[in-house]
Short mmCIF file of all heavy atoms in Angstrom, two decimals:
data_model
loop_
_atom_site.label_atom_id
_atom_site.label_comp_id
_atom_site.label_asym_id
_atom_site.label_seq_id
_atom_site.Cartn_x
_atom_site.Cartn_y
_atom_site.Cartn_z
N GLY A 1 93.69 70.85 104.72
CA GLY A 1 93.45 70.77 106.17
C GLY A 1 94.23 69.63 106.82
O GLY A 1 94.95 68.86 106.19
N GLY A 2 94.09 69.54 108.16
CA GLY A 2 94.71 68.44 108.91
C GLY A 2 96.15 68.68 109.27
O GLY A 2 96.83 67.79 109.76
N LYS A 3 96.69 69.90 109.02
CA LYS A 3 98.09 70.19 109.33
C LYS A 3 98.15 71.17 110.53
O LYS A 3 97.18 71.69 111.01
CB LYS A 3 98.77 70.82 108.13
CG LYS A 3 98.75 69.94 106.87
CD LYS A 3 99.58 68.72 107.00
CE LYS A 3 99.67 67.93 105.71
NZ LYS A 3 100.50 66.71 105.81
N LYS A 4 99.41 71.37 110.98
CA LYS A 4 99.68 72.35 112.02
C LYS A 4 100.43 73.52 111.40
O LYS A 4 101.52 73.31 110.84
CB LYS A 4 100.46 71.75 113.17
CG LYS A 4 99.66 70.71 113.96
CD LYS A 4 100.43 70.22 115.18
CE LYS A 4 99.57 69.24 115.98
NZ LYS A 4 100.27 68.80 117.24
N VAL A 5 99.84 74.67 111.43
CA VAL A 5 100.35 75.83 110.71
C VAL A 5 100.67 76.97 111.70
O VAL A 5 99.83 77.33 112.51
CB VAL A 5 99.34 76.35 109.65
CG1 VAL A 5 99.90 77.58 108.96
CG2 VAL A 5 99.02 75.26 108.67
N GLY A 6 101.87 77.52 111.58
CA GLY A 6 102.27 78.66 112.41
C GLY A 6 102.22 79.95 111.64
O GLY A 6 102.67 79.97 110.45
N ILE A 7 101.71 81.00 112.24
CA ILE A 7 101.70 82.32 111.60
C ILE A 7 102.52 83.28 112.50
O ILE A 7 102.11 83.53 113.66
CB ILE A 7 100.26 82.89 111.45
CG1 ILE A 7 99.36 81.87 110.73
CG2 ILE A 7 100.29 84.21 110.75
CD1 ILE A 7 99.70 81.59 109.30
N ILE A 8 103.64 83.76 111.99
CA ILE A 8 104.48 84.68 112.75
C ILE A 8 104.09 86.12 112.42
O ILE A 8 104.13 86.52 111.27
CB ILE A 8 105.97 84.47 112.44
CG1 ILE A 8 106.40 83.05 112.63
CG2 ILE A 8 106.82 85.39 113.31
CD1 ILE A 8 107.81 82.74 112.21
N GLY A 9 103.71 86.85 113.48
CA GLY A 9 103.30 88.25 113.29
C GLY A 9 101.80 88.35 113.13
O GLY A 9 101.25 87.91 112.13
N ILE A 10 101.13 88.92 114.10
CA ILE A 10 99.67 89.01 114.05
C ILE A 10 99.26 90.46 113.75
O ILE A 10 98.69 91.18 114.56
CB ILE A 10 99.02 88.55 115.39
CG1 ILE A 10 99.63 87.17 115.76
CG2 ILE A 10 97.50 88.39 115.21
CD1 ILE A 10 99.50 86.08 114.72
N GLY A 11 99.62 90.92 112.54
CA GLY A 11 99.26 92.21 112.04
C GLY A 11 98.28 92.05 110.89
O GLY A 11 97.45 91.12 110.84
N GLY A 12 98.35 92.97 109.91
CA GLY A 12 97.43 92.95 108.76
C GLY A 12 97.54 91.67 107.96
O GLY A 12 96.52 91.09 107.55
N LEU A 13 98.77 91.18 107.72
CA LEU A 13 98.97 89.90 107.02
C LEU A 13 98.62 88.75 107.91
O LEU A 13 97.90 87.82 107.52
CB LEU A 13 100.43 89.78 106.56
CG LEU A 13 100.86 90.56 105.33
CD1 LEU A 13 102.39 90.39 105.11
CD2 LEU A 13 100.12 90.13 104.09
N GLY A 14 99.16 88.78 109.11
CA GLY A 14 99.01 87.62 110.01
C GLY A 14 97.58 87.29 110.35
O GLY A 14 97.19 86.10 110.42
N GLN A 15 96.74 88.29 110.55
CA GLN A 15 95.34 88.00 110.90
C GLN A 15 94.67 87.27 109.76
O GLN A 15 93.83 86.38 109.96
CB GLN A 15 94.61 89.29 111.26
CG GLN A 15 94.55 90.35 110.19
CD GLN A 15 93.16 90.70 109.69
OE1 GLN A 15 92.22 89.96 109.96
NE2 GLN A 15 93.05 91.82 109.01
N PHE A 16 95.01 87.62 108.48
CA PHE A 16 94.47 86.87 107.36
C PHE A 16 94.99 85.43 107.34
O PHE A 16 94.25 84.48 107.07
CB PHE A 16 94.84 87.53 106.04
CG PHE A 16 93.80 88.48 105.50
CD1 PHE A 16 94.09 89.80 105.35
CD2 PHE A 16 92.53 88.06 105.19
CE1 PHE A 16 93.14 90.71 104.85
CE2 PHE A 16 91.56 88.90 104.71
CZ PHE A 16 91.88 90.24 104.54
N GLY A 17 96.29 85.26 107.67
CA GLY A 17 96.86 83.92 107.69
C GLY A 17 96.15 83.04 108.71
O GLY A 17 95.84 81.86 108.42
N VAL A 18 95.89 83.56 109.88
CA VAL A 18 95.15 82.80 110.91
C VAL A 18 93.76 82.41 110.40
O VAL A 18 93.35 81.24 110.51
CB VAL A 18 95.08 83.60 112.23
CG1 VAL A 18 94.16 82.92 113.20
CG2 VAL A 18 96.44 83.80 112.84
N ARG A 19 93.01 83.37 109.88
CA ARG A 19 91.66 83.14 109.43
C ARG A 19 91.62 82.09 108.30
O ARG A 19 90.79 81.17 108.31
CB ARG A 19 91.00 84.43 108.99
CG ARG A 19 90.83 85.48 110.08
CD ARG A 19 90.22 86.76 109.52
NE ARG A 19 90.37 87.89 110.42
CZ ARG A 19 89.55 88.16 111.41
NH1 ARG A 19 88.49 87.39 111.62
NH2 ARG A 19 89.73 89.21 112.18
N LEU A 20 92.52 82.26 107.34
CA LEU A 20 92.54 81.36 106.19
C LEU A 20 92.94 79.95 106.57
O LEU A 20 92.30 78.96 106.18
CB LEU A 20 93.47 81.89 105.11
CG LEU A 20 93.03 83.16 104.36
CD1 LEU A 20 94.19 83.75 103.63
CD2 LEU A 20 91.91 82.82 103.42
N ALA A 21 94.04 79.81 107.33
CA ALA A 21 94.54 78.49 107.74
C ALA A 21 93.49 77.75 108.55
O ALA A 21 93.29 76.55 108.40
CB ALA A 21 95.85 78.61 108.51
N LYS A 22 92.78 78.47 109.45
CA LYS A 22 91.76 77.86 110.26
C LYS A 22 90.58 77.41 109.40
O LYS A 22 90.04 76.31 109.57
CB LYS A 22 91.30 78.84 111.36
CG LYS A 22 90.30 78.22 112.34
CD LYS A 22 90.93 77.06 113.10
CE LYS A 22 89.97 76.50 114.14
NZ LYS A 22 90.57 75.33 114.83
N ALA A 23 90.14 78.27 108.48
CA ALA A 23 89.01 77.93 107.62
C ALA A 23 89.32 76.73 106.72
O ALA A 23 88.42 76.03 106.32
CB ALA A 23 88.63 79.13 106.75
N MET A 24 90.60 76.50 106.46
CA MET A 24 91.02 75.33 105.67
C MET A 24 91.01 74.05 106.49
O MET A 24 91.27 72.97 105.93
CB MET A 24 92.39 75.57 105.05
CG MET A 24 92.39 76.67 104.00
SD MET A 24 94.10 77.10 103.51
CE MET A 24 93.77 78.35 102.26
N GLY A 25 90.82 74.15 107.77
CA GLY A 25 90.75 72.96 108.63
C GLY A 25 92.05 72.57 109.29
O GLY A 25 92.26 71.40 109.64
N ASN A 26 92.93 73.53 109.51
CA ASN A 26 94.21 73.26 110.16
C ASN A 26 94.21 73.70 111.64
O ASN A 26 93.38 74.51 112.05
CB ASN A 26 95.31 73.98 109.42
CG ASN A 26 95.43 73.56 107.96
OD1 ASN A 26 95.85 72.43 107.69
ND2 ASN A 26 95.07 74.46 107.05
N GLU A 27 95.14 73.17 112.39
CA GLU A 27 95.37 73.65 113.74
C GLU A 27 96.38 74.83 113.60
O GLU A 27 97.47 74.64 113.06
CB GLU A 27 95.94 72.55 114.63
CG GLU A 27 96.15 73.03 116.09
CD GLU A 27 96.62 71.90 116.98
OE1 GLU A 27 96.61 70.73 116.55
OE2 GLU A 27 97.06 72.21 118.13
N VAL A 28 96.00 75.97 114.16
CA VAL A 28 96.76 77.19 113.91
C VAL A 28 97.47 77.66 115.16
O VAL A 28 96.87 77.77 116.25
CB VAL A 28 95.83 78.31 113.39
CG1 VAL A 28 96.66 79.57 113.11
CG2 VAL A 28 95.13 77.85 112.09
N TYR A 29 98.78 77.96 115.02
CA TYR A 29 99.61 78.52 116.07
C TYR A 29 99.92 79.99 115.69
O TYR A 29 100.60 80.22 114.70
CB TYR A 29 100.91 77.76 116.21
CG TYR A 29 100.81 76.36 116.81
CD1 TYR A 29 100.13 75.35 116.16
CD2 TYR A 29 101.40 76.07 118.05
CE1 TYR A 29 100.03 74.06 116.72
CE2 TYR A 29 101.30 74.82 118.62
CZ TYR A 29 100.63 73.82 117.93
OH TYR A 29 100.53 72.55 118.49
N ALA A 30 99.41 80.91 116.48
CA ALA A 30 99.79 82.28 116.28
C ALA A 30 101.07 82.57 117.09
O ALA A 30 101.18 82.18 118.26
CB ALA A 30 98.67 83.20 116.78
#
């Protein structure tokens, strides 16, 4: 956690990336 993470593409993969990165405690950019 504590990082800034970008997820490019909010489809089947991307929605998991957003959920996981956020649950790990990061600031998430979709």
Side-chain angles (χ1 to χ4, degrees):
K3 301 293 186 179
K4 292 186 177 182
V5 179
I7 307 294
I8 305 174
I10 311 304
L13 284 175
Q15 59 119 345
F16 265 119
V18 171
R19 296 177 196 276
L20 289 165
K22 185 63 178 177
M24 292 171 179
N26 299 291
E27 183 177 348
V28 181
Y29 288 66

